[in-house]
Amino acid sequence: METIIKAKNISKKYKIGKNNFVEALKGVSVEIKKGEMVAIMGPSGSGKSTLMHILGCLDRPDEGEVYIDGKRVDNLKNKEINEIRSKRLGFIFQGFNLIPTLLAIENVSLAAEYAGAPKMKSKKLSEKVLEKVGLKDRMRHKPSELSGGQQQRVAIARSLINSPVVILGDEPTGDLDTVSSDEIIQMMRQINKETGTTFVLVTHNPEVAKVCDRTINMRDGKIVS
Amino acid sequence: MRTLKNVFRKKIRALLTIFGIVIGVFSLVVMGAMAEKMTLLVGGGTKFYKDKITITAGDYSSIMTSPLSIEKLDQLRKVEGVKEVSGGVTMILDKELSSVQMGVPAMIEGNDGKGRELDRKDFPMIMAKGRELRDDDIGKAVVGIDLVKKLNADIGKKIKVRDKEFEVVGIRDKTFTIPDTTVRIPFAESQKMFVETLPEVLRANIDPSKVITGATVYAADGVNADDLAKKIESSVKGIKATGPKKFQEQVTSAVAIFNAIIFGIAMISLLVGGLSVINTMTMSISERTREIGIRKAIGASNNKIIKQFLAESAMIGLIGGSIGLFLGWVFVTIANAAGNESGTALFLITPRLAIGSVAFAAFLGIISGLIPAWHAARMNPVQALRYE
């Protein structure tokens, strides 16, 4: 199977205070195959979120190289990075990260508009995707009017709208009760199976790891297994 | 729509900011309307006087209009390069000028009609109603349109001018210049009226038909009016000749200062409004840091973020500008209506002022939004997402 994401020897330091640095990643190399569903686990501060941010082009490594679909991305200009983020990647976050003033459908279609789709087309497409995640009758509600599980399904719909090659999740079940959590896990697995979309999920939840194809364990900025 | 919604997320803050712009644009519109009116008056004046020389008595004082002998007209006619000379009387309409007087006071005018043909060539006098004054009219008057209300004038109606009754035979159409606030009466009657204003000692020895307050000299074709003015002053004694250049210099410098002060005041209030837009946008962006992070994570380019926030600040400017223009228009309309009673319409909102002030407000909004928007676009998505 071909490799969709490859990271070679990446390091990342964070400045906290004047002369105080935290080494979040210490030379991590990782390879993820197309269609894989991978969990990244590890205690808090092990660098798993930082790794996800770098693999998802939300942040850049200090050292090392990152490839997505064979293309080196860590040294790209902001404009090209935006293009990749919007067209090739999708994100799901712990706190759902929906825009509170926009309706569910607007939250989803915004991502399509940022990728360059016209407004009407974005709306139509969003309706379809929202229907697919089971929110057909909740489309015209604001996030605050939806339950946690429903909000996360809106976020999944948003991450799916541009048919990305990889969806990255940062604790996607972190704020959910077990019933909703199981729902979301099953939904992600189903999308992965049906569309072949690669999933990289940072998580504490062993239930998530259970359905994944494999688990990457991290400790102190390094991959341990 | 989305932009409008975002602007009004915090309603009170948005309204206060818009109010700041409203005040600025309001003062720009009101002050600007005053300046526009003034510019138009002066423009009309300088155009009218571009080939003419104004003659006044040599001992001209600003307190009272000094009389000039009608014999001077013949002396002026003899000067080489003079095409025609028209003598006349102009005096202020109100017996006592109120101390608080802005703009141009209403005037009474009478002249010998010698310059009428020449004047009409460049400045045709269009009548809104009735007819122009004729040389054989007695006890008749033509009223400028801005004085209709003050004098309660209409065709065939009697009006009182300095306690004398005149029958209105014509009302002049709007010119936006001095004739709008002038009553024209027959020459002989204006002369009598003027003599009555003089101190009693002088009055006894004066034949009213020999008195004028000033004259207009028309330069012959190809003669420089400014040179002619100098020549007139040196060859005719006891008069002051003002050529077009001098006239323009005097008036334009006065108007330039006036306009500078007016626009200065308006600009300061707009500057304050602009600062409050910067403040509002900065606050709104810091409140929405997380949202900006989300937008960037799902693929918004820096340009999209900048555009979003610039649209919001431009919207604030546009709304404020439109309301300011509307309030300014209401104020100007009321003030002009009130001014009409006394024959002084002070303000004029021209299309360029209306469009200009709203466009400027929107532009100010964009300028004020630039730094906050740029700041928002440059945020690191990871840090923005962590922001609580």
Side-chain angles (χ1 to χ4, degrees):
Chain A
M1 245 198 278
E2 60 181 300
T3 303
I4 195 87
I5 297 182
K6 193 164 119 186
K8 243 163 92 183
N9 240 344
I10 49 173
S11 303
K12 180 77 183 173
K13 274 185 207 165
Y14 281 114
K15 205 174 178 181
I16 50 161
K18 224 175 183 181
N19 291 309
N20 202 0
F21 290 93
V22 169
E23 274 192 275
L25 293 176
K26 303 171 186 166
V28 171
S29 295
V30 66
E31 223 172 282
I32 292 162
K33 303 259 186 260
K34 198 170 188 178
E36 252 192 317
M37 190 157 175
V38 179
I40 302 175
M41 293 191 80
S44 303
S46 59
K48 57 188 193 304
S49 282
T50 305
L51 179 62
M52 194 216 86
H53 291 148
I54 288 173
L55 295 181
C57 298
L58 288 171
D59 215 343
R60 290 164 193 267
D62 297 332
E63 282 166 50
E65 296 163 14
V66 181
Y67 297 84
I68 289 179
D69 219 358
K71 189 180 176 169
R72 184 160 175 194
V73 294
D74 59 278
N75 55 0
L76 288 180
K77 283 188 192 135
N78 270 335
K79 219 179 168 181
E80 295 167 285
I81 295 237
N82 277 326
E83 184 96 5
I84 288 177
R85 268 211 298 265
S86 95
K87 292 190 179 156
R88 319 217 34 133
L89 305 175
F91 293 92
I92 307 168
F93 300 94
Q94 175 172 15
F96 319 129
N97 278 351
L98 300 172
I99 294 171
T101 50
L102 299 182
L103 304 177
I105 186 164
E106 289 171 329
N107 264 291
V108 177
S109 68
L110 190 63
E113 280 169 43
Y114 282 149
K119 237 179 188 168
M120 284 307 294
K121 206 178 153 197
S122 306
K123 277 260 155 76
K124 283 241 168 77
L125 196 60
S126 308
E127 281 173 18
K128 254 192 205 160
V129 180
L130 279 166
E131 205 179 323
K132 211 160 122 191
V133 297
L135 286 176
K136 196 185 174 191
D137 50 344
R138 312 294 286 172
M139 287 192 292
R140 314 227 153 253
H141 289 259
K142 284 193 175 172
S144 56
E145 296 158 0
L146 300 173
S147 72
Q150 287 170 332
Q151 287 188 58
Q152 197 60 305
R153 279 191 272 162
V154 175
I156 289 174
R158 183 178 65 187
S159 74
L160 278 172
I161 187 102
N162 295 320
S163 317
V165 288
V166 181
I167 290 178
L168 296 114
D170 191 358
E171 305 271 13
T173 59
D175 279 0
L176 299 175
D177 59 64
T178 45
V179 178
S180 319
S181 175
D182 286 343
E183 244 175 59
I184 294 296
I185 293 167
Q186 288 315 316
M187 185 171 277
M188 289 191 292
R189 184 76 229 195
Q190 197 191 333
I191 292 164
N192 167 256
K193 287 240 167 86
E194 279 176 10
T195 64
T197 312
T198 311
F199 275 80
V200 179
L201 305 171
V202 165
T203 187
H204 274 121
N205 186 348
E207 298 297 319
V208 174
K210 230 184 260 173
V211 301
C212 285
D213 299 322
R214 68 178 163 118
T215 301
I216 295 168
N217 283 302
M218 292 193 69
R219 194 147 304 189
D220 299 330
K222 281 181 182 161
I223 292 176
V224 289
S225 67
Chain B
M1 246 346 259
R2 266 186 208 168
T3 307
L4 208 59
K5 248 194 232 162
N6 278 334
V7 168
F8 285 102
R9 263 193 216 184
K10 301 266 165 158
K11 284 189 189 62
I12 289 176
R13 187 174 68 197
L15 287 175
L16 284 174
T17 312
I18 288 169
F19 191 58
I21 297 284
V22 167
I23 292 171
V25 172
F26 173 80
S27 62
L28 182 70
V29 167
V30 171
M31 301 270 183
M34 211 146 99
E36 288 285 69
K37 175 82 182 182
M38 201 58 95
T39 307
L40 203 62
L41 282 176
V42 169
T46 45
K47 202 173 147 210
F48 185 78
Y49 284 107
K50 75 170 189 292
D51 54 357
K52 300 181 186 76
I53 298 154
T54 319
I55 307 291
T56 47
D59 54 347
Y60 178 83
S61 75
S62 58
I63 300 163
M64 104 188 194
T65 318
S66 308
L68 207 62
S69 167
I70 205 160
E71 284 154 22
K72 293 278 188 222
L73 295 179
D74 288 326
Q75 290 178 37
L76 287 166
R77 269 190 202 105
K78 279 179 201 145
V79 179
E80 202 193 325
V82 173
K83 188 180 193 177
E84 186 54 274
V85 180
S86 163
V89 172
T90 46
M91 53 198 282
I92 287 163
L93 178 61
D94 295 312
K95 240 184 205 166
E96 272 160 44
L97 201 52
S98 64
S99 54
V100 193
Q101 180 81 37
M102 287 175 93
V104 183
M107 305 292 280
I108 304 168
E109 189 216 4
N111 66 54
D112 58 14
K114 294 264 163 53
R116 198 176 299 153
E117 295 291 310
L118 292 165
D119 286 345
R120 292 302 167 266
K121 238 182 359 179
D122 289 336
F123 298 89
M125 200 50 86
I126 298 159
M127 307 302 285
K129 270 183 187 173
R131 61 169 176 86
E132 181 57 286
L133 216 55
R134 281 196 295 259
D135 286 340
D136 57 352
D137 278 330
I138 297 167
K140 307 275 162 68
V142 166
V143 178
I145 194 130
D146 286 351
L147 290 178
V148 167
K149 235 185 183 166
K150 177 187 168 91
L151 297 172
N152 196 16
D154 204 353
I155 303 292
K157 247 183 165 173
K158 301 258 185 211
I159 54 165
K160 271 200 168 172
V161 178
R162 292 240 178 182
D163 301 333
K164 272 221 175 68
E165 283 203 329
F166 289 86
E167 188 196 329
V168 179
V169 294
I171 291 167
R172 283 182 182 138
D173 208 358
K174 198 149 183 93
T175 62
F176 291 103
T177 51
I178 296 190
D180 289 353
T181 53
T182 303
V183 181
R184 236 189 113 198
I185 56 173
F187 184 41
E189 282 164 279
S190 71
Q191 289 174 306
K192 270 183 220 145
M193 201 176 275
F194 172 66
V195 170
E196 274 162 31
T197 66
L198 296 172
E200 216 150 330
V201 230
L202 287 173
R203 220 184 290 167
N205 309 323
I206 289 180
D207 174 0
S209 68
K210 298 270 187 268
V211 169
I212 51 173
T213 62
T216 308
V217 171
Y218 299 78
D221 296 332
V223 174
N224 182 304
D226 288 300
D227 294 343
L228 186 59
K230 272 183 213 146
K231 205 158 143 195
I232 288 170
E233 264 189 359
S234 61
S235 49
V236 181
K237 300 240 148 43
I239 57 130
K240 194 164 167 263
T242 311
K245 214 166 158 188
K246 214 164 159 194
F247 177 83
Q248 200 178 356
E249 273 167 20
Q250 284 174 359
V251 183
T252 29
S253 70
V255 170
I257 293 169
F258 181 76
N259 284 359
I261 292 170
I262 275 176
F263 278 109
I265 294 169
M267 283 303 145
I268 288 170
S269 42
L270 269 172
L271 187 75
V272 175
L275 287 174
S276 84
V277 175
I278 296 180
N279 188 31
T280 297
M281 289 312 292
T282 309
M283 276 170 73
S284 143
I285 281 164
S286 83
E287 281 165 11
R288 281 147 75 187
T289 300
R290 200 180 163 86
E291 178 189 320
I292 293 162
I294 300 170
R295 285 174 185 272
K296 293 194 88 168
I298 64 171
S301 61
N302 288 8
N303 280 345
K304 279 261 162 67
I305 305 272
I306 288 183
K307 261 189 218 152
Q308 184 198 340
F309 287 106
L310 283 191
E312 283 178 29
S313 65
M315 183 68 85
I316 292 176
L318 200 63
I319 296 173
S322 307
I323 298 174
L325 173 64
F326 175 72
L327 292 182
W329 173 79
V330 168
F331 177 87
V332 163
T333 308
I334 292 170
N336 272 351
N340 237 336
E341 307 282 331
S342 60
T344 44
L346 256 183
F347 306 95
L348 178 70
I349 296 183
T350 53
R352 67 168 180 189
L353 176 67
I355 296 166
S357 46
V358 175
F360 185 76
F363 174 72
L364 188 80
I366 292 174
I367 292 290
S368 312
L370 268 180
I371 295 171
W374 187 74
H375 182 73
R378 297 244 321 166
M379 276 181 199
N380 174 318
V382 172
Q383 279 165 18
L385 279 172
R386 274 201 203 113
Y387 190 90
E388 290 301 320

